[in-house]
């Protein structure tokens, strides 16, 4: 059984796949307490893999996004396999502090200041900009580097930082801009 906060259908609002229809599986709980965290994730109910797949399969979109909270606390190879057998492309949003199963299709790593990274494979890095030095993340083994304003509040500073560091691209939380989930 895995503790689920919510399962909902929306568009990926952030990062490389922005605009892609996707089913979000939000797991409950996290090992970090980021002061800026925009998500209530503590509540949850225990669901079987069968029930999760049934819920996810109500939607025709191929993409599933595992998020939270911190999804790495709850998932394993078998769970990702179940989603693959249901025909899904499995993405994860993770803080990168816990190892991941190696069969996830797309890894979005959002490193947090002061939290040691444990994952060795990632497709994109997505940093929430708080004025920190972003060059420390430039050696991470990702293909794409995104800098995201914090709660859409410091967009001008984020744009300025991206223009000074052209390895990076701007990621806006587009779901907040158009008031969808
Ligand atoms: C709620 S977290 C859940 C997944 C995982 N715990 C993580 O931090 O990557 C999902 C994404 O939202 C980002 N995020 C959280 N709070 C934010 C905020 N106030 N403004 C912008 N992005 C935020 C995180 O950095 C992460 O990329
Ligand atoms: N639309 C939408 N896109 C998202 N991308 C990552 C999210 C998350 O909270 O992990 C998220 C979210 O909460 N909503
Ligand atoms: S790691 Fe992710 S879910 Fe956990 S507190 Fe930070 S932003 Fe929120
Ligand atoms: Mg969110």
């Amino acid at each position: 059984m895995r503790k689920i906060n919510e399962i909902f259908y929306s568009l990926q609002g952030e990062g490389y796949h922005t605009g892609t229809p996707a089913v979000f599986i939000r797991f409950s709980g996290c090992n970090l307490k980021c002061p800026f965290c925009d998500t209530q994730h503590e509540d949850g109910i225990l669901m079987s893999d069968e029930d999760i797949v049934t819920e996810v399969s109500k939607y025709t979109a191929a993409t599933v996004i595992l998020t939270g909270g911190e999804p790495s606390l709850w998932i394993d190879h078998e769970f990702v396999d179940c989603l693959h057998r249901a025909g899904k492309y499995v993405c994860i949003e993770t803080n990168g502090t816990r190892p991941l199963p190696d069969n996830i299709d797309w890894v979005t790593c959002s490193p947090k200041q002061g939290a040691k990274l444990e994952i060795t494979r990632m497709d994109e890095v997505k940093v929430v900009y708080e004025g920190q030095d972003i060059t420390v993340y430039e050696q991470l083994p990702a293909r794409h580097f995104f800098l995201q304003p914090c709660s859409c509040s410091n967009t001008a500073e984020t744009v300025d930082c991206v223009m000074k560091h052209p390895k990076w691209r701007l990621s806006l939380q587009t779901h907040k801009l158009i008031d969808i989930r």
Side-chain angles (χ1 to χ4, degrees):
M1 304 289 269
R2 308 185 199 267
K3 196 172 177 191
I4 303 294
N5 171 268
E6 57 176 351
I7 296 177
F8 64 96
Y9 187 43
S10 187
L11 304 181
Q12 170 58 290
E14 310 172 9
Y16 186 81
H17 291 122
T18 293
T20 305
V23 183
F24 290 78
I25 304 176
R26 192 179 303 286
F27 291 87
S28 176
C30 189
N31 59 327
L32 300 181
K33 281 196 167 35
C34 307
F36 56 76
C37 183
D38 64 1
T39 306
Q40 290 189 352
H41 53 72
E42 288 301 335
D43 293 347
I45 56 162
L46 289 172
M47 291 178 72
S48 68
D49 290 358
E50 196 185 342
D51 289 347
I52 295 170
V53 168
T54 299
E55 186 59 31
V56 162
S57 300
K58 290 179 180 169
Y59 309 100
T60 52
T63 300
V64 170
I65 300 172
L66 313 180
T67 186
E70 180 46 48
S72 61
L73 302 175
W74 286 103
I75 62 164
D76 54 20
H77 199 281
E78 168 58 23
F79 178 66
V80 178
D81 261 355
C82 280
L83 292 168
H84 281 157
R85 285 195 294 272
K88 302 301 177 183
Y89 179 81
V90 181
C91 305
I92 192 167
E93 303 269 335
T94 179
N95 61 31
T97 62
R98 300 286 166 117
L100 297 176
D102 65 8
N103 54 343
I104 297 174
D105 298 299
W106 183 275
V107 176
T108 303
C109 177
S110 184
K112 303 301 187 299
Q113 293 187 77
K116 188 172 180 294
L117 285 183
E118 290 293 344
I119 63 172
T120 51
R121 188 209 129 203
M122 59 192 75
D123 296 282
E124 64 180 327
V125 171
K126 185 173 67 190
V127 169
V128 177
Y129 189 50
E130 303 176 276
Q132 70 270 51
D133 176 10
I134 61 166
T135 62
V136 301
Y137 302 117
E138 290 183 357
Q139 300 313 315
L140 289 173
R143 287 192 58 193
H144 310 280
F145 292 79
F146 287 98
L147 196 61
Q148 180 158 287
C150 191
S151 300
C152 306
S153 66
N154 57 344
T155 305
E157 293 89 339
T158 310
V159 168
D160 189 54
C161 186
V162 168
M163 290 175 72
K164 287 183 176 130
H165 299 93
K167 186 181 181 89
W168 296 75
R169 285 162 62 188
L170 181 67
S171 171
L172 296 175
Q173 291 186 293
T174 54
H175 51 297
K176 295 184 182 177
L177 302 179
I178 60 175
D179 199 22
I180 62 171
R181 295 175 83 189

